[in-house]
Every structure is written in structure tokens, then in C-alpha cells.
Amino acid sequence: MPPASALAAADELAALLDQSAVADRVDWSKLEDPELGAQLAEHWSISLEFLRIVTRAWPEHLREHDALDPLMRRRRAAEALADRWETDRPGHPVLILGSTGATAASRRLMRAALALPKGAIVLPGFDTDLDGAGWKAVKKAPSHPQFALWRTVASLDLSPADVRLWPGSNESDQQLARRRLVNEALAPAGATSGWNERLKRLATPGSASELVTRGLSGVRLVEAEDENDEALAAALLLRETLETPQATAALVTPDAGLGRRVAAILERWSIDIAPSAGVPLNRTEPGGFLLLLSRWALDPADPVLLLAVLKHPLTALRRTRTDLDTLVSALERAALRGPRMDRALDDLPVRLGKIEANTDDRADARLRARLAGIAQPLVGDLVRVLRDVTPAFAPDMLDGRPAAEALVELAHAIAASPDDPDGTRIWAGRAGAAAGKYLEQLAQLTAEMGGVDREAWPDFAEAIARETTAPPDAPEHPRIAIWGPLEARSQHRHRMILAGLNEGAWPRLAPADSFLNRKLRETIGLNDPDELVGLAAHDFAELANAPEVILLRARRVADKPAVASRWVWRLRTLAAGGLGDAQSAEDLLAPEAGHNPIAWAHALRAAEAAPAMKPPKPRPAPELRNLGRFSPSRTATLIRDPYADFGGRILRLTKFRRVGEDLDARERGTAVHEAIETLEKTGGDLEKLIVENLIAAGASEDLIELEKPLWLRAANIYLDWLNGRADRRREVQTEKTATHVFDTPAGPVELSATADRIERLSDGTLAIIDFKTGTPASAKQVQSGLEPQLALEAAIAARQSFGDLEPGPTSELIYFQFSTSRAVMRDKNGLPLEFKDATTMEVAEEAFEGLTKLIAQYARADTPYLSKPRAKFVSKSDDFDRLARRAEWSVEEGEE
């Protein structure tokens, strides 16, 4: 079992032991009954056997260490206090306020308090309107909000009739109607058949319609389209509250993610409010920093992790942020974009030293060399920092204490700044304090498990961080708050926004027990899991009695339809019955005109939306269009996507490779092609040459092992193809460039092309071969002028020499597909293109004439550079589509 999974299983077992500690009477010995296992499915029998061990071994473990379970200690403390009250009765008032008596310890204290001369219990939300039949139904429904209260009253040897209203409490007609309506909406399922009659009885002397109308005054139901709209609506409701002096509001939801999302939206409006539930440590700045370092320390040369560490806000490496940003940017552009090239961090400074400006005369080569020189001191510091902590992360099984101490040392070294030379700022604030406790827990748990596998360490560390909560640093806002149901029980706001009201979220479904099914739980005396639903229902009933209540839910969650909470549809159904029809109930629950937060959200988004986009039509001046130099590939770009030519040739924009991305098909094909070219010139082992070239290109070992057999197959197909042409071939040139200069309306134009392979055939004509890793163009596309590359190379070859080959006519244009695809067949790959009613040279001259016309067209100032004007080439996204903002104006592909 992976360590993180073992930790999750241990948490579930701990929860089961805690439930045992708070229950009234749990008899684990009943699991010893041999007949019990015979009645169960095999997987439950295995669980049962495991629990027999645990229930004997765990108590013995506690006795050996003179220890108690935390909840058992709480229970015994309550029992000790109750025993003291019985022998030494206090003369002062003893009040137990707001508890439902859900645990055995609280019920024990309640019994003792009632026996005191000045003892009293104040039960929250006790329904005094339930009759005998109603309480009988509650007794059978653990998911009912009154179930815990009924059990508490019964354990005190009292009846519901013995519970009286707080002296002096006065309910208005509206409050009475709301309480009765909410309580009735949450009645046991078996009692819903008599809803309409009970509504009439509760409304006496008025009507059921009046009761519903009065009770739902101040209650509104808001249904958002999805969770994003729900969060924005909740944030707008909280913000609107601040528009009214002295008004208060609280968002209450068990969905911690929704609370964090709402807080983030409010922060955009400079309203700093933190959810009371806190934040999982892995989402905090120090927690995320430690987790990032724990992954990076195992593989320091990983370019994605390396950049993530260097760009983290806590990283300083004894530099100012400005200086560090400059160095990181230089390192990223010089060496980290594109495929991963370094297996160890020590390889990186060596590679930086080999990046030379004189590798060619291109400006980007000189820039890379300059950036590499700038970045070298930063890489040197990283290597030195890691050298001291690497031994702790080297073993196959990591020991918790040394690994945690090394992580602290690494964090201090990385976070050290001119203002904080020791790097201790990572422990600042409540999140920093939580991070310190987390590291202690990480070390302890790792030691308890006898060490953690090195590869599993990062996931194990993150699993613990997810379960560690950092309290909010910001003080609570004086007028608005974000609470969980537990925090909201004993607090009050005028407006209560109850959000996340979907089944599975609020209420959460009764959790499945990994060790005991419901029958086994009942057998040994554990509480029914549905009691948790009942407690959640009690919270909802209490909160729904606030002066103003907004019930908020999303119709879709995680892009799937969501079912409204049972409490929402019960309230809807009850209101429809009392009013006589469903539409009247919907109208009554709907937000008032002008006060619908969904409408506000849509209006806000409409106000923030950019104006409607139109297709771009840039028309730079002719002298800026760089028409003096052309290549066949540029010609194809200008035909397919003129806007891409505008971005690349005129704006001079180049695409940045993603950091650490895999090799693309072109790089793979180039590596294999170079291996074959080496084989042709000098001989050697083809498999070895392919592997060497793929490694030099940045391929990982896994990728090489996966694709090597396929590339060998592709290479052998190519070699077979070469052998098949040997008798017709007299001369060969590879990777040779030829340039032809000709006059156009834009002035002299240099047309240059580099042929992958060009052959002089036995009849004196030429064959031009282009290697493709993707799907080659068809003869129809070449003849139509949409794919002019090979045709233009033939036109150049008729006029200029490629290497040592004298100019001459071309008889064959060939695409050879270098591909790992099994669809590439030996007998169909590398065949000359066959044109309809035209010779190869006629197609070539027509392409050359088309280029002349194309240049003349773009030499005019009124010719725009359109984004993909031909439908044929809009099926896939290209580099300049986002710059052209195609998604904002293109209704469907190819429409324009």
C-alpha cells in the first residue's frame, strides 16, 4: 500500500475508534461471535478479522504507554466532573447552553447538571409543536434534526412535554410561522403524507396559505448556473450588505472550497475576509514552498520544478527580488525551455558553459550565449545549496527526522534574503507556525512507518499537508463573515447566506465505513451514520430562522447536473402545497426585482467584457513587409495564414517552448534523419545512432525505450526505399541550399530553399525528396498551389545549383514520411506525386508564377494580413491564433 493510502486508512481507523469513545455502550466483544463472520461477504469478514486484532491490540498499546484516546479522555473528564457534582454540589448556577447532547459525555454532564439546585439545560431549536405521533416518527429517523434532542431528553428520563420555552421569550407571528414552516419541511419522510393537514392545523386560526406566506417572508432561493456563478453571487451579497450601515451578513457553507473562492473574489474589491475554517496548509505560501522543495530535492534538474522554486515568492538566495528575477529570466530563456536536457543539476552549469555565440551568426544564438553567462552564478549557488542536503534525500527509504531537518535547512538557504539572512521568514504568521508543526508531524509519521520510499515521499508529504489546516491570519471582519455550519451555530448575523445547498454537499451523505457495515455497527452499539445528517439538518433549521435568509445553490457542479438539497426541495414542496400550486411557491421564494444576485453577476460580467472583436486586418506599410526574401515555407504560410507571416516576419515574434516539454514529432524525425544521414556517410550501428541522436535532442530514457523499436522500423523502411532506388540514382545531395533572385513589383526577391534530399537520376532529371513526420501533402494540394514547397524547390533547381548538382528539370517530387505510425506502409511510402494533366515542371513553373503574383499582391498597401482566410487550414490551432483572438470572432471553423 502506498504510504499516503496507508495514512488515509489509519485516519479512518482512528475515526472509528473515536466514534467508539463517544458512543454510549460499545461492545467490541460481539465481534468475537464466530457465527457473525459466516453471515458476511468475504471482504467484510477480512475487515472483521482485522478489527478483532485492533480492538485487543490498541487498548493494550494504550495501557503500556499509560495513555488515553483524546475523546475517551474527554468522556472520562466529563464523568469525573459529574461525579464531583454529585458529592459536592455547587451552590452557584450551572448552565449547559446550546448543546444537542450528541455525545455520551455531554449527556452525562446534562444529567448531573439537572440534579443540581441551580442547574439548567438550554436545548437549541427544540420543536415544541411536535405531537406524540411526530416524536414517535423522529425516534425512528436518525437523519431528522430533532433526533439528537429526542435521545438527549430520553436519556434524562424526561419526555418532550417536560421541555419548556425559555422564560420571557416572545416570538412574533412571522418568527413563529418561519419556525413552524422550517420544522415541518424537515419532518420525517414517513410523516410527509399528512403535510397539508398539519399545515392547516399549525396555521389555525389562519390559513395554510397565510402561514406559508408569512413564514417565507425574508427567505429567498437563488439558483446559480454553476459554482462560479454561485461564488460570485455570494460575494456580491456580502458586498451589498456593506452598503447599508450597521447591516451584518454571514456566508455559511460546509464547502471550504466555495468559501475560499468567495474570499478571493472579495479580495479583488479590497475586502479582506478569511474563511473561519482556515486553509489547507498545501494552499498556503509556506506550505506550498515546503512541498515544492520536497519534490525538487529529489530531482533538482527537473526544469519545471527548478523554475517553480526560483519563481516562488519566498525564494531569495540572498538576493533582492529584482536581481533574482533578472537571473531567473536569463536562465529560463537560455537553457530551460524546450525538452529537458539535464539529468543532474551539475550538468546544467556545464551545458551553460558550452552555449557559445559563435555556433552560428544568428542573433538568437548570441543572445542565448549572453543569457547563459548571466545565469551561471545563480546555478552555481543552487548547486552549493543542494550539496549539503542531498545525502538526506539519497536513500531509497527516507528517514523522517533527517529528511525533515534537511528540508528546513534547504528552505532557510533558499529563502535567505539581504533583509533575512537566515531565511526564517517562512515561519512568520499563523501559516508559518502551522508549517513548523507540520514538519514535526511529517517526521514523526515517517518514523512511525519505518521510513517512506523515496519515490513516494512527495505524495506522502502532500497528503499530510492537505489534512493540516492553517488558521486565517486576517482578523474577522466586523460585519461580514464566512463560516462553516459549526462556527455559525452560536453566532448571529442579520442576513444568513446558506450556500452549497446540493445533495452530497449540504447535507453530506452519511460516510461509508471502511471497516464496518451498518449491520455490524448496530450489532456492537455504534451510532447510526445518519445521525450526522440529522445534526446537519438541525444546523440548517437553526440558521434558516435568521431574519433574512438566502438559500444559494448551483445547478451544475464540476460540469455535471447537481441535485438540490433535500431541505430545499422539501421547503419548495411544502410551500407549493400550502399555496395551492408550485408556481406560486417559486414566485414567493424568488428574489425581489432588482435584488437578484445572479442578475448582478451577469451585469458585472457584461460590464467587464471586452467589446465584440472583429477579425484582424493589419495593413503595414509596404516597406515594412519584408518581401525581399522568401522561402517555400514562408510562401505556404502566406497562403494558409497571412496573419502568421505578419506576426513572425513583421512583428518578429517567436514562439517560446514550454519548460520541460516533450520532444515534438519534428525533433524526433530530425534526430532519426540525422542518424540515417550519418549511417549513409560513415556507416555504423543504426540503433545506436538513433538512440544517441534522440538523447542529444532531449528524449527521456522512457521515451527512447518506448519509441526506439518504432523508429528502427521507420528507419528500415527508409533504407529499403533507398535500396529500391539505387539503380536509378547517380548523385545525391542532402541539406543543400540554393537561392534564386528574380524581379517583382516589390523589387528584387531572393527565393531560397534547403532541400532535405535531392537526387540526380539516371535519365539526367532531378528527384526532390522532403521528409515529413506528420501527414504529407497530397498531389492535389501541391498542384493547386496550397502546398507549394516542393514545387518551388523544383523551380529553383531548374535555375540554380543545389550543392554540386547542376541546374536541371525535376521529374519526381517525393514526400517520405518518417513516422512511428503502423499506418505507414513500405510499398506506399516515398512514391512520386502524380499530377493530373500536368508534368512536374509545369506544376513547378505554375507555383513560381503564383509566388510572383502573391508577392505583387502583398506589395500593395491595401492588402491585409488575414487570419486563416482559407477554410482548409482552420482545423487546428496554430501559434498566432491567440494573437489574432480567433476564439472571440470566429463563430465556426472556416466560416470566414
Side-chain angles (χ1 to χ4, degrees):
M1 179 182 292
S5 299
L7 187 65
D11 285 341
E12 293 207 30
L13 181 59
L16 181 62
L17 294 173
D18 286 345
Q19 293 169 38
S20 170
V22 302
D24 272 326
R25 288 177 295 277
V26 177
D27 187 357
W28 289 100
S29 66
K30 291 184 178 181
L31 295 180
E32 303 291 342
D33 185 353
E35 295 183 3
L36 194 59
Q39 302 172 17
L40 300 173
E42 182 179 357
H43 69 283
W44 286 116
S45 298
I46 295 171
S47 179
L48 195 61
E49 186 61 31
F50 171 73
L51 285 175
R52 285 172 178 152
I53 298 171
V54 169
T55 53
R56 289 193 297 263
W58 181 245
E60 182 62 30
H61 173 78
L62 293 175
R63 281 193 296 271
E64 288 177 359
H65 291 79
D66 194 22
L68 279 177
D69 274 323
L71 291 182
M72 180 59 73
R73 182 187 182 283
R74 184 183 303 176
R75 178 172 178 171
R76 291 190 182 178
E79 291 172 348
L81 180 58
D83 291 342
R84 192 176 75 185
W85 283 349
E86 290 176 358
T87 58
D88 183 15
R89 294 189 171 191
H92 56 74
V94 176
L95 308 178
I96 298 179
L97 309 176
S99 172
T100 61
T103 67
S106 58
R107 292 194 292 272
R108 176 72 177 87
L109 281 177
M110 287 178 174
R111 174 180 286 275
L114 275 185
L116 298 176
K118 296 182 180 180
I121 302 168
V122 181
L123 298 174
F126 190 88
D127 188 358
T128 57
D129 293 323
L130 278 174
D131 54 18
W135 283 112
K136 188 175 180 179
V138 167
K139 180 180 177 181
K140 299 177 181 178
S143 62
H144 191 273
Q146 297 292 314
F147 178 84
L149 293 170
W150 166 82
R151 183 176 56 187
T152 297
V153 171
S155 72
L156 299 175
D157 298 327
L158 301 173
S159 70
D162 295 324
V163 181
R164 300 187 300 275
L165 288 176
W166 181 261
S169 60
N170 295 311
E171 284 183 306
S172 67
D173 291 343
Q174 188 273 335
Q175 290 172 328
L176 177 63
R178 172 81 65 79
R179 179 173 60 80
R180 287 180 170 177
L181 192 64
V182 171
N183 286 342
E184 193 58 39
L186 303 184
T192 56
S193 59
W195 257 352
N196 289 340
E197 290 302 319
R198 284 203 303 280
L199 271 183
K200 292 178 183 178
R201 187 169 67 252
L202 290 172
T204 303
S207 66
S209 176
E210 291 172 340
L211 176 70
V212 171
T213 302
R214 191 180 300 119
L216 291 183
S217 174
V219 178
R220 295 293 176 261
L221 174 61
V222 177
E223 294 185 291
E225 186 60 33
D226 56 29
E227 62 263 53
N228 293 324
D229 273 357
E230 182 184 20
L232 182 55
L236 287 167
L237 286 167
L238 291 173
R239 182 180 178 183
E240 190 225 10
T241 302
L242 298 178
E243 302 292 326
T244 304
Q246 309 305 318
T248 61
L251 168 67
V252 183
T253 177
D255 184 350
L258 175 60
R260 290 193 294 269
R261 188 175 298 180
V262 172
I265 295 173
L266 289 170
E267 191 174 353
R268 289 166 42 194
W269 303 325
S270 300
I271 301 173
D272 191 6
I273 173 173
S276 62
V279 181
L281 184 65
N282 62 318
R283 292 177 176 269
T284 67
E285 193 171 78
F289 186 57
L290 292 174
L291 290 174
L292 180 58
L293 291 180
S294 70
R295 291 185 182 276
W296 178 61
L298 300 185
D299 189 4
D302 183 305
V304 176
L305 293 176
L306 175 58
L307 267 185
V309 169
L310 291 174
K311 292 188 176 185
H312 194 280
L314 287 175
T315 298
L317 287 167
R318 301 187 178 276
R319 293 175 170 88
T320 66
R321 192 72 228 181
T322 301
D323 291 341
L324 181 63
D325 287 345
T326 300
L327 297 177
V328 172
S329 177
L331 176 63
E332 177 182 353
R333 294 182 62 186
L336 298 184
R337 288 192 172 271
R340 174 175 178 170
M341 303 300 292
D342 308 302
R343 296 301 117 189
L345 189 61
D346 288 340
D347 298 337
L348 181 54
V350 175
R351 184 162 63 91
L352 287 174
K354 292 180 179 179
I355 297 176
E356 299 178 0
N358 61 1
T359 52
D360 53 42
D361 60 354
R362 290 167 51 197
D364 60 343
R366 295 195 299 272
L367 175 62
R368 281 189 69 225
R370 184 172 67 84
L371 294 174
I374 293 173
Q376 279 185 311
L378 174 64
V379 179
D381 286 349
L382 289 172
V383 172
R384 285 190 291 274
V385 163
L386 276 168
R387 192 167 292 145
D388 295 334
V389 300
T390 297
F393 298 104
D396 292 337
M397 292 293 290
L398 295 186
D399 188 345
R401 184 66 58 185
E405 291 174 352
L407 194 57
V408 171
E409 183 180 349
L410 179 60
H412 285 174
I414 296 294
S417 67
D419 297 331
D420 179 22
D422 295 327
T424 57
R425 60 197 173 109
I426 58 177
W427 315 116
R430 294 181 178 177
K437 293 179 181 178
Y438 155 76
L439 284 175
E440 184 63 34
Q441 185 182 24
L442 176 62
Q444 182 180 357
L445 286 172
T446 306
E448 289 286 345
M449 297 184 70
V452 172
D453 182 87
R454 186 176 186 273
E455 298 300 321
W457 165 267
D459 291 337
F460 179 67
E462 186 155 3
I464 300 173
R466 284 198 301 266
E467 300 302 319
T468 304
T469 300
D473 272 324
E476 187 171 282
H477 195 283
R479 292 172 54 198
I480 59 176
I482 300 176
W483 293 330
L486 181 63
E487 293 85 5
R489 285 179 183 177
S490 58
Q491 303 187 77
H492 174 76
R493 292 289 190 273
H494 180 268
R495 169 184 281 179
M496 302 297 284
I497 307 163
L498 311 185
L501 284 167
N502 283 325
E503 281 295 297
W506 201 9
R508 288 193 173 96
L509 301 179
D513 194 320
S514 299
F515 298 100
L516 294 172
N517 59 23
R518 286 179 180 257
K519 177 177 175 59
L520 290 175
R521 290 178 65 91
E522 183 181 357
T523 298
I524 65 175
L526 284 172
N527 294 344
D528 192 311
D530 282 339
E531 289 184 28
L532 294 176
V533 179
L535 292 173
H538 182 271
D539 292 339
F540 173 79
E542 291 288 275
L543 297 169
N545 277 281
E548 182 184 359
V549 177
I550 298 170
L551 309 176
L552 182 58
R553 64 173 292 261
R555 291 191 179 95
R556 296 182 67 84
V557 176
D559 204 28
K560 297 177 182 177
V563 178
S565 169
R566 63 191 72 179
W567 308 322
V568 171
W569 64 256
R570 275 170 162 255
L571 196 60
R572 273 175 154 163
T573 304
L574 186 62
L579 296 175
D581 68 274
Q583 188 56 51
S584 297
E586 295 298 318
D587 294 342
L588 185 61
L589 286 167
E592 299 174 5
H595 291 275
N596 187 343
I598 301 301
W600 298 342
H602 292 169
L604 180 64
R605 284 178 173 153
E608 291 177 346
M613 281 292 299
K614 295 181 179 179
K617 298 180 179 179
R619 294 180 174 87
E623 62 271 17
L624 300 177
R625 299 193 176 198
N626 298 323
L627 300 177
R629 300 184 66 181
F630 259 81
S631 66
S633 60
R634 184 189 180 188
T635 306
T637 300
L638 202 56
I639 293 171
R640 291 189 302 246
D641 189 3
Y643 193 82
D645 186 81
F646 169 75
R649 297 283 178 169
I650 299 175
L651 299 184
R652 299 184 182 277
L653 300 177
T654 57
K655 179 183 178 182
F656 269 3
R657 299 289 298 274
R658 296 192 304 277
V659 175
E661 70 175 307
D662 291 335
L663 270 70
D664 58 23
R666 182 176 180 179
E667 288 169 330
R668 291 182 177 94
T670 299
V672 175
H673 173 59
E674 289 176 352
I676 294 174
E677 188 174 349
T678 302
L679 180 69
E680 287 186 52
K681 292 179 178 178
T682 63
D685 184 332
L686 178 58
E687 179 176 347
K688 183 178 179 181
L689 290 171
I690 289 177
V691 170
E692 288 176 350
N693 279 275
L694 287 174
I695 290 175
S700 66
E701 293 181 3
D702 290 342
L703 182 65
I704 290 172
E705 290 303 315
L706 177 67
E707 294 189 351
K708 182 172 63 176
L710 302 176
W711 283 120
L712 281 171
R713 174 182 175 274
N716 287 326
I717 291 176
Y718 174 70
L719 293 176
D720 289 346
W721 176 80
L722 280 184
N723 291 333
R725 296 174 56 84
D727 294 341
R728 302 177 52 229
R729 185 172 58 242
R730 290 194 344 221
E731 297 178 74
V732 177
Q733 294 288 314
T734 59
E735 298 295 334
K736 297 299 182 180
T737 300
T739 300
H740 175 62
V741 180
F742 60 102
D743 292 326
T744 71
V749 172
E750 291 185 6
L751 177 61
S752 296
T754 300
D756 288 349
R757 183 181 181 90
I758 185 167
E759 300 175 347
R760 176 80 69 185
L761 302 180
S762 56
D763 62 0
T765 62
L766 300 175
I768 299 177
I769 298 99
D770 188 60
F771 300 115
K772 292 289 185 185
T773 53
T775 303
S778 65
K780 182 178 179 180
Q781 291 173 330
V782 174
Q783 189 171 0
S784 68
L786 292 176
E787 289 285 355
Q789 179 178 346
L790 284 184
L792 287 175
E793 289 181 12
I796 297 172
R799 295 166 171 82
Q800 303 292 338
S801 297
F802 277 89
D804 295 333
L805 293 180
E806 293 295 326
T810 298
S811 60
E812 293 182 357
L813 299 180
I814 299 172
Y815 284 112
F816 187 90
Q817 189 176 3
F818 268 116
S819 173
T820 58
S821 173
R822 294 286 183 182
V824 178
M825 306 301 293
R826 291 175 184 267
D827 56 345
K828 295 186 178 180
N829 196 9
L831 297 178
L833 297 176
E834 296 183 0
F835 303 111
K836 184 178 181 180
D837 301 328
T839 65
T840 299
M841 284 310 301
E842 288 173 342
V843 171
E845 292 303 323
E846 190 172 336
F848 185 75
E849 183 180 350
L851 172 60
T852 304
K853 293 178 180 178
L854 187 69
I855 294 172
Q857 176 185 352
Y858 279 89
R860 299 198 303 267
D862 60 344
T863 301
Y865 285 78
L866 302 177
S867 173
K868 294 182 177 176
R870 292 173 172 80
K872 172 68 179 175
F873 300 102
V874 298
S875 59
K876 62 180 181 179
S877 177
D878 291 328
D879 297 343
F880 291 96
D881 281 0
R882 286 192 176 182
L883 184 66
R885 299 172 72 169
R886 287 187 59 84
E888 299 181 38
W889 52 263
S890 178
V891 178
E892 62 182 6
E893 296 296 352
E895 179 187 344
E896 68 278 11

